[in-house]
Amino acid sequence: MNCPYCGHPDDKVVDSRALKDGAATRRRRECLGCGRRFTTYEYIEGAPLMVVKQDGRREPFDRAKLKGGIVIACAKRLVASETIEQMVREIEEQCYEKEAVEMSSAEIGAMVMTRLKAVDEVAYIRFASVYRRFQDAGEFRREVENL
Ligand SMILES: [Zn+2]
């Protein structure tokens, strides 16, 4: 597991906790390179957190997709990538800590909007206006590129 801050390959686990009746494990890790701490989640295969989309389709929670949506909303805005990473981390943590098996994409979208609003008004409006209509990352990207 490479450190998200400095890329160092080694870390030590400083805390470990079972979630969802043991179907998931949350680990707090400390980088042996820079000493910063980060959290990882481990899932038993077949039991990932599922996201229920507006049309009822389900897909596994995808951190990269979540981050991609935020990055697009923040395009050409003065939002540090560190801030975006922090946002993703908080949302991911909040999703997993809910101990739910499923979450709606609208719930996750609301978490993003709350945070974006506090960081950058334009990014928030972009995300909010687009997200409410399109729940698909590809459509979202095209729409924002047209703004
Ligand atoms: Zn590090």
Side-chain angles (χ1 to χ4, degrees):
M1 189 72 61
N2 292 345
C3 169
Y5 302 103
C6 74
H8 193 87
D10 299 314
D11 62 72
K12 65 174 181 194
V13 174
V14 290
D15 184 48
S16 182
R17 195 152 63 84
L19 299 171
K20 301 179 200 290
D21 294 327
T25 307
R26 172 190 195 270
R27 291 200 169 85
R28 196 77 185 130
R29 296 170 184 272
E30 191 177 296
C31 173
L32 297 182
C34 68
R36 294 174 87 169
R37 291 187 173 189
F38 57 99
T39 306
T40 57
Y41 295 89
E42 205 174 283
Y43 267 87
I44 290 170
E45 206 174 349
L49 174 67
M50 297 303 282
V51 177
V52 185
K53 300 173 65 155
Q54 221 169 24
D55 61 7
R57 278 184 296 146
R58 285 167 170 74
E59 56 182 38
F61 176 77
D62 184 345
R63 178 186 216 280
K65 206 169 172 182
L66 169 66
K67 186 170 179 175
I70 298 174
V71 167
I72 294 164
C74 293
K76 297 181 186 151
R77 301 297 302 167
L78 294 170
V79 182
S81 51
E82 173 80 348
T83 306
I84 294 174
E85 179 59 32
Q86 173 74 27
M87 246 184 261
V88 172
R89 212 152 45 225
E90 283 174 14
I91 293 165
E92 187 182 31
E93 209 152 308
Q94 211 177 319
C95 289
Y96 284 135
E97 300 286 332
K98 275 178 93 90
E99 302 263 330
V101 176
E102 289 184 342
M103 285 193 64
S104 68
S105 55
E107 270 180 281
I108 297 174
M111 288 181 195
V112 174
M113 284 187 257
T114 305
R115 284 171 177 79
L116 275 183
K117 197 171 189 177
V119 168
D120 188 287
E121 192 76 15
V122 171
Y124 161 72
I125 291 165
R126 279 178 184 166
F127 190 91
S129 62
V130 173
Y131 195 85
R132 283 183 184 135
R133 282 185 293 138
F134 306 106
Q135 304 263 336
D136 174 73
E139 274 181 79
F140 181 37
R141 190 185 308 268
R142 283 189 294 278
E143 179 73 10
V144 172
E145 278 165 359
N146 289 335
L147 287 178

